[in-house]
Amino acid sequence: MNTAAVSPPAARAGDAATGPLPPVAGDLPPSVGAFDYTRFAPRLPQLEGGMEPGRHPVVIAGGGPVGMSLALGLANHGVRSVILEADDTVCVGSRAACISRRSLEIVERLGALPAFLSKGLPWTGGRSFYKTDEVFRFEMPTSAQQKLPPMINLEQYYIEQYLLDEIVRRNAKTPGLIDIRWGTELTGFSEEGEGLVLSARNALGAYQLRGQWLVGCDGGQSFVRKSLDLNLEGTAYEGRYVIIDIELHSDHPTERRAWFDPPWNPGSTVLMHKQPDDIWRIDYQLRAGQSTEEALQPAAVTEFVQRHLDAIGEGQLPWKTVWTSVYRAGAMTLESYRHGRVLFAGNAAHAMPIFGVRGLNSGFDDADNLAWKLAHVVRGLSDVALLDSYSQERIAAFHINAESAMRSTEFMSPPSRGFDLLREAALSLSGAHRGIANLINPRQTQAVEYRDSVLSTEGDDLTEGPGPGEAMPEQPLAHDLHLTDRLRPTFMVLVLNTEVDEALAAEIADAQAGPLAVNVCELPAGSADASVFAALGAQQGAVYLLRPDGHIAARWRRVPRGALRSALARASYLVETERS
């Protein structure tokens, strides 16, 4: 039965471009499971006539997961940043709760992986039901080669807290490396000379500050985006989903469950996920004509959840509601993620449907791609044109992600009667026909290949293994180590199944003599199983040049004279280097 006695925190309704909005400021949010909220006090910097002296290399609008990840990525390269966050706590509600393996690899580079793995719930697959019959099971790719699970469930308030904890650790070592200013909103900005002048305010007053670059990580309602009169373009769907977090002490395993047209909510779709602290996330589709406002009323939430739990055999368990929101699906993007000295990342740059969990996971990829490029430009190592490659690569990634996400969305929320009939036919036949059942596959997110990146150099004698633009796949090494344990967030020369002879040593020395940090990882014959070298096309040896985000910039069987330095210059837009 429902034991809730008071109304839970509820987000305001969002739209296709925004997703749910945060609750109106008020009392400190109540604890959820083992998580206790902290209110962070605003402060004013030292000012001279209302202006903060000096100029910050990077100002980040928005201190959610994307903004904090970008700041930590910049810190990996020694670049300081300021985060302006309008809220004075980490977020309320589960929000983006599914973190992919690729995102976990990024989080590892940021230093926060142990906390994510300690609290997060790993899972590998899920089940789909048509009415009450199971019609499809899926498993995400996983093997002993991987050190990380394909997905974990972790509420966004934990995600933000663990990134914040890492920021605190970084600042303890290097004071002021990441200056996060809580309860402070950006109110205006304009370009001026070699940077920008920005206006900010909090409860203590208003002030101005200067920055070289501004990055809008301020979510679907982005003030930065609206200030430049920019709009997200793409496809918005009519389907609306109510999101309900409940505390439920259930022993059901961690998996994704989806019910299509269930008898207890006919004509709708219901999703359910287990999260840490016995918090369960339920998403259900509102039918045409149903009122969003009425659906979010506590009595309506209670009635729906109890009906759902009764139907799946858990209605006898005590539960309570801890958060509610509503979401409308959309796949939209800005035409460019760079506008002069202003850049965009995360939901400020694009909107993704929830199906396939590409929202925050795309945001982590944005931050990972942008951090090293912006750091190189700030430090004067790379030409500013390197930032255009961020926009080009991530917009290409958006379209790859959107294609799968839209196919899932059209199945989950049919946009027309024709799609509805197609889905009904597929579901009714899927129990007996595996090929048709594959239409139900949610197509979970995975690492994106930058196929046509201007930063890539094509090798002419290595035709097997991962190619330029791909993320270097994880591989097991000896003594419980993995390949990612040997990599660093810098340019890396990966030497596989071959000796570093005099010619290759000279090429590496030439590359390291330049201004860029270039590290070397050698895996000679016998240091890994033969299957590892085969997977990487290195049966006869191979050399890879990896970017700081782990994507492949170039690869060779044997490195031609001058090729490594040339590929490095191409991948970094190295200042004062002509590009081919």
Side-chain angles (χ1 to χ4, degrees):
M1 63 178 181
N2 178 21
T3 60
V6 296
S7 299
R12 292 168 284 159
D15 59 27
T18 66
L21 307 178
V24 177
D27 295 334
L28 190 67
S31 299
V32 183
F35 187 84
D36 298 319
Y37 281 88
T38 300
R39 174 154 286 147
F40 302 100
R43 59 182 175 81
L44 289 176
Q46 294 293 319
L47 301 173
E48 295 178 1
M51 173 70 77
E52 183 179 3
R55 176 181 288 166
H56 299 285
V58 180
V59 178
I60 300 169
V66 177
M68 285 195 276
S69 294
L70 176 60
L72 286 166
L74 290 168
N76 281 345
H77 298 274
V79 172
R80 296 175 180 267
S81 62
V82 171
I83 300 175
L84 304 180
E85 170 51 49
D87 289 339
D88 59 2
T89 69
V90 297
C91 78
V92 176
S94 60
R95 299 178 184 271
C98 299
I99 307 302
S100 70
R101 176 184 288 134
R102 174 62 181 168
S103 292
L104 291 174
E105 292 174 353
I106 294 169
V107 168
E108 182 174 29
R109 286 197 284 275
L110 303 180
L113 181 63
F116 275 63
L117 294 182
S118 176
K119 192 67 178 181
L121 301 179
W123 58 283
T124 60
R127 297 185 291 158
S128 297
F129 303 83
Y130 177 46
K131 299 187 185 298
T132 58
D133 295 331
E134 182 178 320
V135 293
F136 183 73
R137 290 193 180 203
F138 74 90
E139 289 288 330
M140 292 176 285
T142 186
S143 69
Q145 291 179 280
Q146 301 292 338
K147 73 174 181 181
L148 298 172
M151 198 81 69
I152 66 168
N153 285 350
L154 183 66
E155 298 95 334
Q156 187 169 320
Y157 43 82
Y158 276 120
I159 294 170
E160 294 186 9
Q161 185 62 55
Y162 295 152
L163 293 172
L164 177 60
D165 292 344
E166 180 60 22
I167 287 175
V168 172
R169 285 190 287 269
R170 299 287 187 101
N171 284 336
K173 295 180 179 179
T174 309
L177 182 61
I178 301 174
D179 182 354
I180 183 166
R181 301 180 183 182
W182 295 96
T184 300
E185 61 178 326
L186 178 68
T187 59
F189 59 89
S190 60
E191 290 200 26
E192 180 182 274
E194 296 300 311
L196 305 102
V197 175
L198 307 101
S199 299
R201 69 182 176 200
N202 58 35
L204 303 178
Y207 63 96
Q208 291 186 305
L209 65 159
R210 294 185 177 91
Q212 286 180 257
W213 296 92
L214 169 64
V215 186
C217 300
D218 48 345
Q221 289 281 5
S222 173
F223 170 81
V224 178
R225 187 181 69 223
K226 292 177 180 179
S227 296
L228 294 179
D229 198 26
L230 300 172
N231 295 307
L232 301 181
E233 304 291 342
T235 302
Y237 293 93
E238 292 300 318
R240 295 164 296 147
Y241 278 79
V242 170
I243 304 171
I244 307 170
D245 284 353
I246 63 172
E247 184 175 330
L248 172 74
H249 301 285
S250 167
D251 294 328
H252 193 88
T254 307
E255 63 176 357
R256 173 195 180 273
R257 284 181 287 173
W259 292 267
F260 297 93
D261 196 20
W264 59 94
N265 202 49
S268 174
T269 303
V270 182
L271 306 174
M272 194 170 185
H273 270 287
K274 186 177 185 178
Q275 302 177 99
D277 300 335
D278 288 320
I279 303 299
W280 290 79
R281 163 116 169 217
I282 302 173
D283 301 61
Y284 81 92
Q285 182 185 6
L286 290 175
R287 295 184 294 272
Q290 280 188 285
S291 165
T292 300
E293 292 73 18
E294 291 178 5
L296 290 175
Q297 292 298 312
V301 170
T302 297
E303 191 276 333
F304 173 81
V305 173
Q306 189 62 54
R307 181 157 35 95
H308 174 70
L309 294 179
D310 287 341
I312 66 173
E314 297 193 330
Q316 79 284 0
L317 299 177
W319 63 276
K320 67 177 181 180
T321 311
V322 296
W323 182 69
T324 61
S325 185
V326 68
Y327 178 84
R328 187 188 299 273
M332 292 175 285
T333 181
L334 289 173
E335 291 186 358
S336 175
Y337 296 173
R338 180 191 170 204
H339 294 261
R341 290 189 168 270
V342 181
L343 299 127
F344 293 90
N347 284 348
H350 47 72
M352 280 286 186
I354 59 174
F355 313 116
V357 297
R358 291 173 175 83
L360 177 54
N361 290 303
S362 290
F364 276 125
D365 259 325
D366 289 347
D368 193 45
N369 188 297
L370 177 58
W372 70 270
K373 295 176 180 178
L374 185 53
H376 279 63
V377 171
V378 166
R379 294 172 58 198
L381 302 174
S382 297
D383 187 90
V384 70
L386 179 62
L387 297 177
D388 293 325
S389 76
Y390 160 69
S391 181
Q392 294 159 1
E393 289 182 345
R394 293 308 301 153
I395 288 176
F398 167 84
H399 289 294
I400 293 171
N401 280 317
E403 181 179 0
S404 291
M406 290 168 69
R407 289 171 64 191
S408 295
T409 301
E410 287 166 352
F411 196 89
M412 302 295 290
S413 300
S416 68
R417 179 57 181 160
F419 276 94
D420 196 33
L421 290 172
L422 177 64
R423 186 180 83 160
E424 184 176 341
L427 288 166
S428 63
L429 295 171
S430 57
H433 301 278
R434 175 68 186 185
I436 293 176
N438 281 326
L439 292 171
I440 307 172
N441 193 329
R443 303 177 184 86
Q444 303 288 12
T445 183
Q446 54 187 334
V448 171
E449 174 187 351
Y450 300 133
R451 298 189 183 104
D452 300 314
S453 174
V454 297
L455 307 186
S456 296
T457 297
E458 289 293 337
D460 57 5
D461 60 349
L462 180 58
T463 57
E464 299 177 359
E470 290 186 51
M472 175 58 71
E474 182 67 282
Q475 298 293 331
L477 305 179
H479 309 298
D480 295 324
L481 289 176
H482 288 76
L483 180 57
T484 53
D485 297 323
R486 300 286 306 275
L487 304 182
R488 298 292 179 267
T490 65
F491 280 99
M492 296 285 306
V493 179
L494 182 59
V495 183
L496 303 172
N497 199 28
T498 188
E499 295 297 325
V500 178
D501 58 19
E502 184 176 341
L504 180 56
E507 290 296 316
I508 293 174
D510 186 41
Q512 291 180 319
L516 298 178
V518 180
N519 286 302
V520 179
C521 174
E522 295 181 51
L523 295 179
S527 63
D529 189 84
S531 63
V532 171
F533 295 129
L536 300 180
Q539 296 94 326
Q540 287 82 47
V543 177
Y544 284 87
L545 175 63
L546 305 184
R547 304 173 358 174
D549 56 12
H551 284 264
I552 297 166
R555 61 178 189 171
W556 306 271
R557 181 78 65 202
R558 295 288 182 269
V559 181
R561 184 174 181 180
L564 181 57
R565 182 171 183 175
S566 176
L568 183 64
R570 182 179 185 87
S572 65
Y573 272 83
L574 195 62
V575 169
E576 298 180 356
T577 299
E578 291 188 6
R579 296 172 50 75
S580 59

